[in-house]
Amino acid sequence: TATGSPSRCTGWQINANTVATAGHCVHDGAGGSWHRINSFRVYPGRNGRSLCWRRLFRSDHLAALTAGDQTRLAELGVARAFDFRGTHERAAAPYQLPGLVQHALPIEPTVVQQMQALIDSGGPLSAAVVQALMQDLYRRLVSDEAQRFAELFEQLLATEAPLVFHCTAGKDRTGVAAALILLALGVPRPLVMQDFLLSNQYYRRPQGPAPSALPADALAVLSGVQAGFLNASLQLIDDECGGVDAYLSQHLRLSPAALDALAARYLQPA
């Protein structure tokens, strides 16, 4: 469980659905109060050095924080928020939090629009179709949207102030960003995947009516993450970019010196 299971990263609940941790954010759908998660697990990075604690946080959107949530966020020292939501998403759920500087890194959502187009045209909308749309999204994120992740890394290197990055649900655009950060810090790919898939254990779709035209199995795909999603990103990086190291260098503009600086900032000393 979120409150006591072994091998869970220690974290703090930011709102009813969001628990921020050292390397990732998990969602438990619980209500209300802040709590600790026991049994902090450290991800090993370059040269066996572990990730620093309480520097990097990921989340779903921050527009629903209570006053108590805002206080706790301030206590964590989080001073910067990087928002991957698209223009209309930001306008629909804006937030202004004291002491938190916002940086917009917009990546416009496409899957819902593609699904709606299929519905309007009378086309099939099955779990397999949604899986294919999600895999296409993950390929697009690391190809067409690489500039946004490059901008995030520039900010990671700019200052040591703790930061949070998020989109709307905190699992797809945010999940790819988290995976790229962990890979850049030298975390082994199996652990990166394990971290990515934690959203399935804790994320809960916001309450409300599901789209009436969306079958339950298709909704389940849309509401979670699958290894095939992140693998679609990683396969494109391997096949078309020459692997992770080449991608970090050529697409995210991370030189060897920049990777050393990133490690110095976000990994424990040797």
Side-chain angles (χ1 to χ4, degrees):
T1 64
T3 56
S5 61
S7 299
R8 291 285 174 266
C9 291
T10 307
W12 287 264
Q13 188 167 310
I14 291 180
N15 61 30
N17 295 315
T18 302
V19 178
T21 71
H24 61 271
C25 167
V26 294
H27 310 263
D28 70 354
S33 60
W34 290 81
H35 62 272
R36 287 289 295 270
I37 300 177
N38 297 321
S39 301
F40 171 55
R41 178 181 59 194
V42 177
Y43 288 132
R46 295 174 63 183
N47 302 317
R49 297 159 59 192
S50 302
L51 269 69
C52 290
W53 176 234
R54 295 177 66 173
R55 292 280 181 83
L56 301 174
F57 299 87
R58 60 176 279 196
S59 179
D60 53 2
H61 74 83
L62 304 179
L65 300 189
T66 67
D69 297 333
Q70 294 179 33
T71 298
R72 188 66 180 116
L73 191 66
E75 291 172 352
L76 291 171
V78 177
R80 300 175 292 163
F82 297 91
D83 188 348
F84 290 114
R85 292 180 299 168
T87 302
H88 293 296
E89 292 173 286
R90 286 174 56 84
Y95 64 87
Q96 292 291 335
L97 303 177
L100 189 70
V101 177
Q102 295 184 46
H103 301 265
L105 301 175
I107 298 176
E108 297 298 334
T110 59
V111 171
V112 172
Q113 290 83 344
Q114 291 170 315
M115 289 169 47
Q116 188 61 54
L118 281 171
I119 293 171
D120 293 343
S121 66
L125 195 57
S126 64
V129 169
V130 177
Q131 285 174 337
L133 291 175
M134 294 300 293
Q135 289 171 350
D136 286 343
L137 166 65
Y138 275 70
R139 295 185 191 98
R140 183 177 69 83
L141 288 174
V142 294
S143 55
D144 298 348
E145 304 296 347
Q147 173 61 27
R148 296 306 186 199
F149 299 123
E151 292 171 17
L152 175 63
F153 275 98
E154 288 177 2
Q155 294 295 330
L156 291 176
L157 290 165
T159 176
E160 292 185 357
L163 63 90
V164 59
F165 55 98
H166 70 89
C167 51
T168 293
K171 66 182 184 70
D172 298 313
R173 291 164 287 189
T174 299
V176 169
L180 292 174
I181 291 170
L182 293 176
L183 290 168
L185 290 171
V187 175
R189 191 176 289 198
L191 286 180
V192 174
M193 180 62 73
Q194 180 178 312
D195 181 86
F196 172 75
L197 292 173
L198 280 174
S199 285
N200 286 332
Q201 188 167 349
Y202 294 101
Y203 177 70
R204 299 293 181 270
R205 190 177 65 84
Q207 293 185 354
S212 58
L214 193 61
D217 59 348
L219 179 62
V221 174
L222 188 66
S223 300
V225 295
Q226 299 180 6
F229 298 171
L230 185 57
N231 277 335
S233 293
L234 297 175
Q235 193 67 52
L236 184 143
I237 288 173
D238 289 340
D239 292 347
E240 299 186 14
C241 305
V244 170
D245 290 344
Y247 180 81
L248 295 174
S249 172
Q250 298 170 15
H251 294 266
L252 302 188
R253 303 190 295 273
L254 291 170
S255 66
L259 289 172
D260 287 343
L262 194 74
R265 182 152 290 175
Y266 296 108
L267 294 179
Q268 299 283 354

